[in-house]
Amino acid sequence: MSEQFYSYLVENGHGLPHDPFKAIIAPRPIGWIASKSLDGVMNLAPYSFFNAFNNTPPIIGFASVGYKDSVKNIEDTGEFCWSMATKPLADAMNRTSQPVSADVSEFELAGLDAGSPTQVNVPFVAASPVSMECRLTQIVQLNNTEKQPLDTWVVFGQVVAVHIAHTYLNEGVFQLVDAQPIMRAGGPGDYFTISADNGFFMGRPA
């Protein structure tokens, strides 16, 4: 292999103090996912493998390593909400990552008020600048190259309603920097936010 690069075969391990994969695919927006069990218990959990996948209709998705409460609830009910995790809400978001039993509501655990949805029966984080109500479209269990199923589940949902706090709208344009979204990157506890100083415009070639 070239001396210009540090190269490794994944099957042999990276040989570094920290796996670089999550640092390279970064920063990653956080899927702060709310769901509700068939028994009515509200669940809220952050997922660092999250993104948008389609524009019309809008579809977002997240990956769960393990068939966790969020996946089960969404498969059972067909609904979930996403809320933007922000710097002011970072501590609360982190508290919702605690491994607790299915009968514990992370909303209560983190001291978060539940916002009132209009199209689904799942609350969102009321204090978040932006939340989206979603209906399940697909749950996909990932396979490896040998077609063996992995214990990782990707949940996709179609956005049916969006809630944006008026504070973050300026002449109808959402002010992303003002909302202070946080993203996962780098080491096991590294987060980043964005700055207007780092922004630039580049139009598509004609």
Side-chain angles (χ1 to χ4, degrees):
M1 296 185 180
S2 171
E3 294 182 0
Q4 181 181 355
F5 299 100
Y6 180 88
S7 303
Y8 64 92
L9 298 179
V10 173
E11 63 182 10
N12 296 334
H14 51 77
L16 298 171
H18 182 71
D19 187 350
F21 176 73
K22 292 182 179 180
I24 294 167
I25 309 299
R28 289 168 283 124
I30 296 169
W32 206 7
I33 305 298
S35 62
K36 183 186 285 188
S37 72
L38 291 176
D39 295 330
V41 179
M42 297 187 298
N43 179 274
L44 182 63
Y47 292 88
S48 66
F49 286 110
F50 164 84
N51 223 305
F53 294 94
N54 197 56
N55 185 50
T56 307
I59 292 176
I60 61 176
F62 70 95
S64 173
V65 178
Y67 189 84
K68 297 179 180 177
D69 294 338
S70 299
V71 182
K72 182 181 185 335
N73 291 345
I74 295 167
E75 188 165 42
D76 286 344
T77 65
E79 300 176 334
F80 67 94
C81 283
W82 167 83
S83 294
M84 179 180 285
T86 65
K87 195 169 183 180
L89 293 171
D91 287 341
M93 182 276 299
N94 196 36
R95 287 198 296 273
T96 65
S97 69
Q98 296 181 57
V100 295
S101 62
D103 61 350
V104 174
S105 169
E106 288 83 359
F107 278 90
E108 296 180 8
L109 188 69
L112 292 164
D113 290 332
S116 300
T118 61
Q119 303 300 311
V120 302
N121 191 30
V122 178
F124 50 86
V125 178
S128 177
V130 183
S131 294
M132 298 181 181
E133 302 179 34
C134 304
R135 293 199 179 104
L136 174 66
T137 60
Q138 294 169 273
I139 296 179
V140 179
Q141 184 176 12
L142 296 184
N143 294 331
N144 62 17
T145 56
E146 285 77 38
K147 307 301 182 184
Q148 297 169 331
L150 303 175
D151 190 26
T152 298
W153 310 80
V154 184
V155 179
F156 296 98
Q158 182 171 324
V159 179
V160 294
V162 179
H163 307 279
I164 306 172
H166 286 290
T167 305
Y168 301 99
L169 288 174
N170 184 1
E171 297 182 352
V173 178
F174 178 62
Q175 303 301 300
L176 181 62
V177 172
D178 292 345
Q180 301 182 70
I182 55 174
M183 294 150 282
R184 287 289 280 116
D190 293 338
Y191 289 81
F192 288 85
T193 186
I194 61 174
S195 167
D197 295 338
N198 296 326
F200 64 95
F201 176 82
M202 182 169 58
R204 291 187 179 182

